[in-house]
Amino acid sequence: MYKILEKQVFSPIIKLMVIAAPRVAKKCQPGQFVILRTHEEGERIPLTIADFDRQKGTVTIVFQEVGKTTRQLGALEAGDCVRDFVGPLGTPSHIENFGTVVCVGGGVGVAPVFPIARAYKEAGNHVIGIMGARTKELMFWEDKMREACSELFVTTDDGSYVRKGFVTDVLQEVIEDRGKEQIALVLAIGPQPMMRACCNLTKEYGLKTIVSLNSLMVDGTGMCGCCRVTVSGQTKFVCVDGPEFDGHQVDFAELARRNAFFLAEEKLSAQRWEESRKSAGCGCGCRCGGGH
Amino acid sequence: MTEETKGQKKKIIPKKNPMPAQDPAERIKNFHEVALGYTEEAALAEAERCLQCKKAPCRQGCPVEVDIPAFIKLVAEKDFAGAIKKIKEKNALPAVCGRVCPQENQCEKYCTMGKKNEPVAIGRLERFCADWELAKGVLPQEVAPPTGFKVAVVGSGPGGLTCAADLAKLGHQVTIFEALHVPGGVLMYGIPEFRLPKRVVQAEIENLKKLGVKIEVNAVVGKFATIDELMEEEGFDAVYIGTGAGLPYFMNIPGENSCGVYSANEFLTRTNLMKAYLFPEWDTPIKIGRKVAVLGGGNVAMDAARTALRLGAEESWIVYRRSKNELPARHEEVEHAIEEGVKFAFLTSPTRILADENGQVKAMECLRYELGEPDASGRRSPVPIPGSEFTMEVDTVVVAIGQGPNPLVPRTTRGLEVTRKGNIVADPATGATSKPGVFAGGDVVTGAATVILAMGAGRVAAKSIHAYLMNKKEQA
């Protein structure tokens, strides 16, 4: 069991948790992920590491409630435990002094961008951060990002905060403004359509772009191949070969199709969860709200 | 009359006492165990069939050298406690082995009775004894006084569990590191519930804990710590690597990443470990089509094909590029699959998987094969027949053509020699690797094989680790 030491509610659907996991905290690097399970009957879900504290032995995750498991996780409070928490998994980000790096975080993708941007900056890069959200209330960690980046641009799709526009709009402005020759690398993490859009844009400029893929997974250690994705025409496992890949080489259409494979089942699970939440709690004192 | 049986006037019963089993029509609707186990009467009758040969040829077929005639004699004498104790002198997981060992290629292959009649049902008797003990409550085993040495076992599959049990009995402090959230390895994620109930596996693991073995789950060695770190920073004096064959092989044909194509590992892990057959009560889903094709002919392929039927597939096909005679699966599994209505497309292999506009599998383009000359494995090699292309309509494909060693540990361990295929190089007689204090065995060394061979390797390594530690003590 892994104790939730702290919980922050950024918005009704975006939450942060600090988890006691000394083994993971000791070794994890920016770009890596964990797999967690909330309870005995639960599924294993991958979440990218948002931050860590080696001294305190803690790992921070930020997640958006989309399906049953993330909603159930979101219903837990500080002091509760998650059943399983395994990591660090995946290959760490490749960090070196490239020169100028643009780090783009969309939505909840800002969380995994943060430690990578910080590491880039510590390695001596000039880090231009771009963070965006659909609307103001889904925005979080502007302060942390400002600290991790050399300069930061903020945008909202609906214009409810700072400015109106997609992260790709800002990215294009930055590239045009600084000149593509001045930028060594782009990192883009967020929803798949956003990463795809960023890649389409940077391809035009011939700017190498790293993305962090969020495929379906079971074990997360290269054992099942559920997370396979086509990169440069070759099959790769996101869990061990990734999660970061050269975005210009990723077959995003295939990834989107594979990620949608269990959509009907995910919907059913989420529906059952919502219904059980409406009825009385399960009575076992677990605060699951009746979900198990 | 042979020398061994001289002087005995036993009435020969030519056939094994039959194993009671769930009716095929019923069992394909559930995940309960197929083979139900001997009653006491059947076990006593079967034990009586044993000729008690002095040379005990059966023992040479057992990778862990169980004293088979001795335990069968105790069964015949109704001393079941004595019988299980005798088995456990050599075998840490009798309830598992009694169920999943390929006895026809091992102990029973050498049984004197089997020369003219059916061999003694050694596996069924082993299972009977183990189940008897599990039902009664397990007797405590003797553990030597603590030696002060710490041993890390990487992977909690059959090899790791055996190695851990042997070392713990010798007084070493053993910690098993398991990557998944439950211990058991392939016994939990791979072999289906209907062949090996998970409560049986967990009961065997509980026995191990009683020997003082510690188990750390959610611990991916090579990630949270390397082998070098376990030895240098966490004070482990020796390490056993039994990480198995956890890397699924694919066909490398077009369309293999379509929706509805699973590796056998994914298909079985979802079903067994994550209990997807209980979805939505359990959260992990699995999707099964109307017509399922399982590629391959080994035990894993049989498990997947039979699992597909239980998940509701209307048709479940084994697609295998050789013929029935070459099927590498355990005989009983093939028979069970046939009884349950699994269909076989022999001498057939796909060249391409076709998907619809949503990326969902709809068919496979296949080629027919004929058998040519024997290859390196001694089996006649399949040769494609030109112009034999045909299309097989399927909506789910499970790739069960084998697994390789998971590269996580080999890649992160300094000075560990591996083969071109990524298998760890270890001396079969000792389990010693190129790295001092590090031993390895089972599938990660040999490539995908059986539970009992991994257990044999775990036992061999435990002996060498003990010798290595005792030597270290003398030198200190």
Side-chain angles (χ1 to χ4, degrees):
Chain A
M1 300 290 256
Y2 301 79
K3 199 167 190 179
I4 301 165
L5 299 176
E6 186 191 335
K7 178 184 180 184
Q8 288 177 32
V9 179
F10 290 144
S11 82
I13 56 163
I14 298 180
K15 290 163 189 177
L16 170 148
M17 280 175 182
V18 178
I19 313 274
R23 285 256 198 224
V24 185
K26 189 179 169 198
K27 285 303 282 286
C28 66
Q29 300 289 340
Q32 290 190 296
F33 66 95
V34 295
I35 281 195
L36 67 78
R37 221 163 59 112
T38 52
H39 64 296
E40 182 54 27
E41 293 82 12
E43 61 180 340
R44 296 168 65 96
I45 60 158
L47 288 170
T48 313
I49 293 168
D51 205 354
F52 49 88
D53 187 323
R54 300 205 203 282
Q55 269 76 46
K56 288 183 186 152
T58 61
V59 174
T60 302
I61 51 171
V62 177
F63 56 96
Q64 184 164 349
E65 296 182 7
V66 281
K68 190 229 169 179
T69 303
T70 42
R71 288 181 213 197
Q72 193 160 4
L73 180 63
L76 297 175
E77 301 295 339
D80 292 339
C81 288
V82 290
R83 190 90 173 73
D84 299 292
F85 194 83
V86 55
L89 300 172
T91 306
S93 308
H94 176 69
I95 305 291
E96 63 170 72
N97 190 352
F98 295 101
T100 296
V101 179
V102 182
C103 294
V104 189
V108 78
V110 167
V113 163
F114 164 73
I116 306 172
R118 180 175 60 187
Y120 280 143
K121 194 175 164 192
E122 281 168 4
N125 290 283
H126 180 81
V127 179
I128 303 172
I130 300 172
M131 58 185 284
R134 219 165 59 231
T135 183
K136 185 187 173 186
E137 72 153 352
L138 300 177
M139 188 75 76
F140 64 93
W141 273 13
E142 188 187 341
D143 51 339
K144 285 186 75 151
M145 280 295 282
R146 205 166 288 285
E147 218 168 286
C149 301
S150 314
E151 46 184 320
L152 182 71
F153 298 88
V154 178
T155 183
T156 44
D157 296 359
D158 64 357
S160 56
Y161 185 60
V162 182
R163 61 165 279 181
K164 182 178 162 69
F166 297 117
V167 286
T168 40
D169 298 331
V170 183
L171 178 60
Q172 184 160 23
E173 287 165 20
V174 168
I175 299 170
E176 288 291 340
D177 180 51
R178 309 293 158 96
K180 63 177 182 185
E181 297 78 15
Q182 303 303 312
I183 298 166
L185 187 71
V186 176
L187 169 83
I189 307 179
Q192 259 181 58
M194 171 238 141
M195 290 193 284
R196 206 172 169 174
C198 285
C199 289
N200 288 341
L201 176 71
T202 54
K203 215 170 185 173
E204 287 174 28
Y205 292 98
L207 264 178
K208 187 173 176 178
T209 302
I210 302 293
V211 293
S212 178
L213 302 182
N214 53 343
S215 56
L216 299 181
M217 286 185 194
V218 184
D219 66 289
T221 62
M223 196 190 83
C224 82
C226 172
C227 63
R228 62 197 192 276
V229 59
T230 304
V231 182
S232 306
Q234 286 185 315
T235 295
K236 297 282 181 191
F237 287 5
V238 172
C239 68
V240 287
D241 301 318
E244 291 182 9
F245 293 100
D246 178 347
H248 294 164
Q249 307 300 327
V250 171
D251 184 342
F252 279 105
E254 178 190 88
L255 180 63
R257 285 196 299 267
R258 286 188 63 80
N259 273 6
F261 185 53
F262 290 109
L263 220 53
E265 288 76 13
E266 286 163 12
K267 219 170 153 181
L268 173 69
S269 265
Q271 242 169 26
R272 282 170 52 97
W273 164 253
E274 290 302 328
E275 279 160 20
S276 69
R277 293 277 283 171
K278 276 178 208 155
S279 62
C282 70
C284 77
C286 66
R287 297 202 225 186
C288 77
H292 73 226
Chain B
M1 196 171 256
T2 60
E3 184 206 357
E4 293 90 335
T5 58
K6 207 183 292 172
Q8 293 190 19
K9 286 178 194 159
K10 195 177 273 186
K11 190 180 165 234
I12 300 289
I13 301 159
K15 285 197 177 298
K16 288 178 180 177
N17 283 272
M19 180 64 131
Q22 265 201 83
D23 183 65
E26 262 318 296
R27 74 189 189 221
I28 60 165
K29 296 180 214 152
N30 66 53
F31 274 82
H32 303 315
E33 192 168 19
V34 168
L36 300 171
Y38 272 168
T39 58
E40 189 175 314
E41 292 71 30
L44 291 173
E46 189 63 30
E48 279 297 329
R49 291 184 68 228
C50 177
L51 299 170
Q52 291 295 317
C53 312
K54 282 201 188 71
K55 281 188 184 163
C58 47
R59 289 192 71 179
Q60 76 185 71
C62 178
V64 295
E65 301 160 344
V66 169
D67 190 345
I68 294 164
F71 100 76
I72 294 183
K73 186 161 184 276
L74 290 162
V75 173
E77 291 164 0
K78 278 198 179 185
D79 180 4
F80 305 134
I84 188 64
K85 199 174 164 205
K86 181 55 73 181
I87 295 171
K88 281 190 158 176
E89 285 173 8
K90 297 288 183 181
N91 186 337
L93 309 169
V96 171
C97 289
R99 287 171 165 84
V100 303
C101 265
Q103 288 97 2
E104 71 263 28
N105 297 325
Q106 297 177 347
C107 50
E108 294 180 16
K109 182 177 169 182
Y110 299 97
C111 174
T112 308
M113 180 66 104
K115 285 181 182 154
K116 287 186 179 161
N117 305 292
E118 282 188 6
V120 175
I122 300 166
R124 293 173 187 176
L125 288 172
E126 180 182 33
R127 170 178 165 179
F128 171 80
C129 296
D131 287 358
W132 178 89
E133 188 192 35
L134 289 179
K136 292 270 174 206
V138 173
L139 311 160
Q141 282 183 278
E142 283 169 31
V143 175
T147 60
F149 285 112
K150 275 175 77 182
V151 183
V153 170
V154 185
S156 65
L161 293 175
T162 302
C163 187
D166 282 7
L167 289 169
K169 280 193 254 180
L170 291 166
H172 304 301
Q173 190 192 320
V174 183
T175 304
I176 303 182
F177 294 100
E178 166 55 46
L180 291 169
H181 54 263
V182 285
V186 72
L187 308 174
M188 290 304 289
Y189 75 75
I191 301 175
E193 177 76 18
F194 56 81
R195 204 146 77 76
L196 178 63
K198 302 310 151 211
R199 61 168 174 79
V200 171
V201 180
Q202 291 310 312
E204 300 256 44
I205 289 169
E206 285 307 311
N207 294 344
L208 216 69
K209 288 186 187 162
K210 286 180 193 157
L211 295 173
V213 173
K214 288 186 205 162
I215 303 181
E216 224 181 284
V217 294
N218 296 327
V220 186
V221 172
K223 288 294 183 185
F224 83 88
T226 62
I227 298 241
D228 293 287
E229 286 164 341
L230 289 178
M231 297 179 85
E232 288 158 20
E233 293 172 22
E234 302 205 17
F236 286 99
D237 301 288
V239 178
Y240 178 72
I241 306 173
T243 46
L247 179 75
Y249 288 147
F250 285 92
M251 300 280 291
N252 292 317
I253 55 175
E256 215 170 11
N257 291 349
S258 305
C259 297
V261 182
Y262 300 92
S263 74
N265 271 359
E266 182 188 352
F267 190 73
L268 293 173
T269 300
R270 282 183 181 275
T271 314
N272 301 326
L273 180 73
M274 305 311 296
K275 304 217 185 310
Y277 62 93
L278 298 175
F279 179 86
E281 272 69 41
W282 285 59
D283 290 342
T284 304
I286 194 159
K287 242 189 168 88
I288 194 82
R290 199 182 57 77
K291 188 171 169 183
V292 178
V294 178
L295 314 180
N299 286 322
V300 173
M302 298 304 141
D303 286 346
R306 297 171 67 195
T307 296
L309 285 177
R310 285 163 174 79
L311 289 170
E314 286 170 31
E315 284 181 42
S316 178
W317 286 80
I318 291 279
V319 178
Y320 181 53
R321 59 193 188 127
R322 301 182 208 238
S323 73
K324 190 180 176 186
N325 291 333
E326 287 78 29
L327 280 173
R330 190 172 173 248
H331 180 69
E332 189 181 289
E333 307 315 323
V334 178
E335 289 308 309
H336 279 153
I338 293 169
E339 281 171 21
E340 290 171 10
V342 170
K343 295 175 179 171
F344 291 79
F346 291 117
L347 296 164
T348 302
S349 188
T351 52
R352 168 189 287 275
I353 294 167
L354 304 170
D356 66 16
E357 64 280 6
N358 297 320
Q360 168 65 45
V361 174
K362 61 173 186 183
M364 299 194 302
E365 265 177 28
C366 299
L367 266 183
R368 293 201 198 281
Y369 284 68
E370 58 191 355
L371 292 179
E373 295 301 309
D375 62 11
S377 71
R379 295 177 301 173
R380 293 181 65 190
S381 61
V383 181
I385 302 172
S388 65
E389 291 85 355
F390 71 102
T391 303
M392 187 176 180
E393 279 182 28
V394 294
D395 40 27
T396 302
V397 177
V398 180
V399 185
I401 57 167
Q403 299 93 235
N406 192 309
L408 226 51
V409 170
R411 267 188 207 162
T412 54
T413 310
R414 279 199 310 266
L416 189 66
E417 194 189 333
V418 295
T419 66
R420 203 167 38 83
K421 283 183 171 175
N423 293 99
I424 296 174
V425 177
D427 181 345
T430 63
T433 68
S434 57
K435 191 176 172 73
V438 177
F439 300 75
D443 285 4
V444 74
V445 171
T446 59
T450 60
V451 166
I452 189 70
L453 284 174
M455 290 176 61
R459 142 128 328 136
V460 164
K463 265 186 210 161
S464 327
I465 290 171
H466 181 63
Y468 169 82
L469 294 174
M470 291 303 105
N471 187 35
K472 204 172 167 179
K473 194 176 176 182
E474 275 173 28
Q475 285 176 356

